[in-house]
Amino acid sequence: MTGFVPSIYPDELVYSWFCRYYVHSGYTASKTALEDLLYNRHCNPSKEFIGHMNTEMEQVIKGMYPIDELVLEHTMFPQYARFIECTKKKDALYRLGNDFCDAHLLFTILPRSEEDKYLKYCPLCVTDDRKQYGEAYWHRKHQIRNMNVCNKHKCRLAISTIPAKSEQSFTLDPAEIVVQDVMVRPAVNSLEIEFASYMEQIFETPMDFENDIAIDTILYYGLKGTKYMSSTGKTRNTQILADDMQRYYREIGLNKVASMYQIQRTLLGSRSDFSVVCQIAFYLGVSVENLLYPSFSEKQILSVQETRCSKEETPEDWEQYDEDMMPILEKVAHDIYYGNINDTGRPERVSERLVYKLTGIPNHRFDNMPKCCRILSRYKESYAQNWARRLVWAYQKLKSENGDKPVFWCDIREISGVKKKNADVILPLLEQYADKTTANAIKSLIIPANVIENP
Amino acid sequence: MENLIEQMPKMLVGQELEKAMLSLPVYEPAICKADAGARLMALDAMTEIYVPSAMSYEIYSKIYLAMLHSLKKKQTKDAVMQGNQNHKRLQSMGYHSVLGGSDSFSIIGPSGIGKSTALAKSIALSGGEQLIVIKEPYAQIIPCINVQCPHDCSVKGLLLAILSQVDMATGTGYEKLAVKNRASIDNLIGMVSQVALNNILLIVIDECQNICRNKGGVNLVASMTQLINSSGVSICLVGLPETEMFFGQEMQLARRSVGLSYSALPCNDYFIQFCETLFSYQYVAHPSKLTPELIELLYECTGGIIAILVSVIMETQQIAILTGKEELNRETILMAYKERLKNVQDFVKVIPKKRNQTSSVVKKEVMDIQKEVHDDKADVDIQATTVIKQSRGCGEDAVKLLKEEGFLVEEVSV
């Protein structure tokens, strides 16, 4: 049974609250305090969330504050859940507060940059806290990734020696014991201050569990009209955007600027990292209100979805898909090879591009379809081979249509599309596709008699 | 803070306090007609009698105000800072006191005058064992912890006893944790300081005279000083008069033991009233009236010690019932005093009746004064100063010489 649990301060991390519990309860070691806090000693608590508490402590905590309030106002939940889907948001909120689920199972938590590896604090906030409460504590908003400035005092945050990760050697390190008197460094870069303020506003705004407009839709309309999107809206110049953002944020001195891949994934809707979204939105000039409370019509939302291939069309079972496509591919390849796709009946070369076009299969899928690849390889031929086949077909066609009339090169050229300049590579292959008489007849049409007699 | 103070019971004064403290068991006059066995068993009810005195009221107000003072310090900024300092000391990171130790006091008096009973009554009326539970911050505040000073003045013993009391009141496991971790005395002091800071209003340490009787007493006092300085909790030291002498040795000890000091009752109105109360609980077959002679006899037998007075009356009634005398009179009282209270006789010191004095005078020794008549009239005019000068010159006892000269001598202790 716990005898004393202090009150939680405004904007205090739950981890910091537990540290102060450890201080004021008279424990000699943080390990002993953790044994009283945790479900069992193998549970790793979290510095950014709550962790798996034991039943007794859970009852005491829930008796003091509603668990949802703790998660929303005293953990880093707004950072990780701000831009995810509403259903996932609600599920994460419930599971963090009631099942004490590991946050890694609920959100994408990216690796930290060097500057974000340790807990941060503002020296002036420490002074204010000591004056008001008698002790310092870890503020939540100072731990936002890429946050380097205290918006209240407009000074740079100091970096402590306490790891921000919830690693195996987890200890309770109270801010009052850890923070040292450091020189206050005012923030001079106005853009840096503005960006920090922007992130803080987004972080602190109450979470919206109803509005389910995806972040990529919001950013799409942020890109629209800029040089980073074509006028049709179907093409994004992500590389240029990434390069410009790199230059822009390097000037500010941001710890970790979003990479091209991260920007791309975010714009396509498959990622929604808080820092990346803030960087893109701030760079594009999207206001906080538009970012958090967008209003788009159904038509506008659908038009964004039409600009990209939906991930839902990707087959889930490639083996089955490969198996199903084999007969279709066989027929298409056969038709191409033997000229059934043309009105004239001219045989074509079986290429992947032509197969994708005729079958409607999205590009590059054959990389995952080995059986279909084997079918294609059976119809594989070089350009020379194809030209030779065409010449034979053209000669035989004209012969059958003209009867006894002579066949001229210009007629063969017209229907086969083969040029005389490639004769060197074609002539040796003619006998693979026709008998000797036909081959010689074609040769005589391509090469004048005096050249044949004197090769 | 207002919520915390509201949770304490209202402070009682005057008649309200007297009524709350007064404890008189039920008495049926018809019991005198019952058989001896029944009367002897009913006699036990006399142990429940409690009549509050000025001492009781003083102790109550001191206890209540100490708890209130301690409560006002809880959850203040200074308390938070003190908690952090205590933690730093536990981690060997340096320490400086924030709250200070001005809230300790003592209740000193001889055995049997009713200190512990008055204390228990006062604590019960001030909240007693009723926990003050607050939600934010979550805390279970114990109004009073009562521990006994260990017979061997063991610091660890005292600190573990405090933790044990806290555990019993709140259901926590501090003592078990301290024992499991084999906490050193310094760590224990830190732990108890934090627990006291958050969860205790007043610590009463009884039997403090053990400090004087054991060579470890100095250590214990030093540890208690440390505890007082780092917990901000009120500490009440209860003990016999010899404790006063011990605390009077050093200024810092004296400062922390400022408080109430009592002696045995004089033969005053309260004593007479108490005797009357006791006499109203007679279980003998022939109840008698209380006379001034009996009052004087009772005072001489008890020396104003309430516990002995109750014992005398009870033993007298027992003897009266058992011997068949069935009466409370001089004979039975003296019989009980001589036969049943032999061991206390040497410790009883009678205080003479007050005669228009503003301060009570403790008589050290009652001398048998005999008036000597000198035939030689010339010696009548010898002044006392002359005799004293003479005694100084001879190196003799001045009192003896004065008596020889016929002076009436009365020795007093100052």
Side-chain angles (χ1 to χ4, degrees), chain A residues 1-9 22-29 32 35-36 60 63-65 130-135 174 176-177, chain B residues 75 77 79-81 83-84 87-88 90-91 93 135-140 170-174 177 180-181 187 190-191 194-195 198-199:
Chain A
M1 184 80 186
T2 308
F4 177 78
V5 178
S7 306
I8 199 165
Y9 294 137
Y22 154 55
V23 165
H24 292 289
S25 296
Y27 292 106
T28 49
T32 323
E35 281 174 4
D36 278 353
V60 169
M64 291 175 76
Y65 307 105
R130 282 175 175 157
K131 218 180 269 181
Q132 187 173 0
Y133 304 110
E135 58 186 350
E176 176 60 26
I177 308 297
Chain B
Q75 293 149 37
K77 202 175 88 176
V80 170
M81 288 165 71
N84 277 288
H87 179 76
K88 280 183 180 171
L90 274 173
Q91 306 299 317
M93 291 171 70
K135 194 180 139 189
E136 194 187 335
Y138 174 79
Q140 299 182 82
T170 60
T172 47
Y174 293 118
L177 188 67
K180 182 182 160 191
N181 291 340
N187 283 352
M191 195 175 184
Q194 292 291 57
V195 171
N198 297 320
N199 298 99

